[in-house]
Amino acid sequence: MLALSIVALLMAHPMHAEVRHADNLDDLGFPIHQTVKLAARADTESGVSVFEFVQPPMSLGAPPHQHLHEDEFFYILEGELTTLLGDETVAVGPGSLLVLPRGAPHGFWNVGDEPARVLLVVSGSDFDGFFEAVAAELAHAGANADPGAVINAVAADYDIEMMPHLIPEDALSLLPPRPQDD
């Protein structure tokens, strides 16, 4: 009986080959960088998610953090990112692949004059909905919401440990101004 249920489920949601292009997909509304989901975790049996994001010039992409349940792979398509890998800061450009196993502290920012376009592959967890969850929470919180606080709260829901105290001194100037209390 269970086997019939699984077959029925697979037939109801058949996986098929297709071509997707970032230009034809909707921006997920993440506040730090323009992000599109090229492939969702549910699209294949491997459960991998694939995103493309564009990190604006002179901006912090993600403060140092670590994922407890997923591995990440950043492939730099255009531009340059500066990354914190453990306690080392490294600049990476087109053709570079960052391999970020779960539990490895990392962060990234763009100190260049050009946007950085990055392919992000995530494996091993429910991270698939993180960017949409942040956007939805910000929309719910309203115009005066602090994006950093919202990201931190959603990150905790996804077992992502934020480590803002590890932001290198030269990246602190890239932090957006905090909302003023009325």
Side-chain angles (χ1 to χ4, degrees):
M1 186 61 126
L2 179 60
L4 289 176
S5 297
I6 292 172
V7 169
L9 179 63
L10 289 174
M11 291 178 72
H13 303 289
M15 295 181 187
H16 58 280
E18 64 180 287
V19 174
R20 297 179 186 169
H21 193 277
D23 292 344
N24 298 328
L25 299 170
D26 292 331
D27 184 321
L28 299 178
F30 189 68
I32 306 302
H33 42 69
Q34 178 186 6
T35 306
V36 296
K37 186 184 297 183
L38 295 166
R41 178 178 178 212
D43 289 340
T44 65
E45 290 185 37
S46 66
V48 171
S49 301
V50 182
F51 303 87
E52 181 179 300
F53 70 85
V54 178
Q55 185 63 48
M58 298 305 294
S59 65
L60 183 67
H65 62 282
Q66 67 181 355
H67 300 258
L68 301 179
H69 304 292
E70 54 269 341
D71 305 310
E72 288 186 305
F73 305 87
F74 286 63
Y75 184 75
I76 313 304
L77 299 165
E78 297 174 2
E80 184 175 279
L81 286 181
T82 302
T83 61
L84 180 68
L85 304 175
D87 59 358
E88 184 180 1
T89 301
V90 179
V92 292
S96 298
L97 177 69
L98 296 170
V99 178
L100 304 167
R102 61 195 76 192
H106 62 281
F108 63 92
W109 53 95
N110 181 353
V111 295
D113 295 330
E114 301 294 325
R117 193 166 63 96
V118 179
L119 186 68
L120 168 61
V121 178
V122 183
S123 68
S125 79
D126 289 327
F127 183 79
D128 187 63
F130 175 77
F131 297 116
E132 293 102 326
V134 169
E137 195 60 37
L138 280 171
H140 177 73
N144 292 330
D146 176 358
V150 170
I151 290 170
N152 288 343
V154 173
D157 292 342
Y158 283 81
D159 288 332
I160 300 169
E161 181 182 348
M162 302 304 289
M163 304 170 171
H165 61 283
L166 297 179
I167 298 174
E169 193 70 34
D170 61 341
L172 286 174
S173 65
L174 301 175
L175 286 169
R178 294 185 62 88
Q180 298 296 318
D181 293 327
D182 292 332

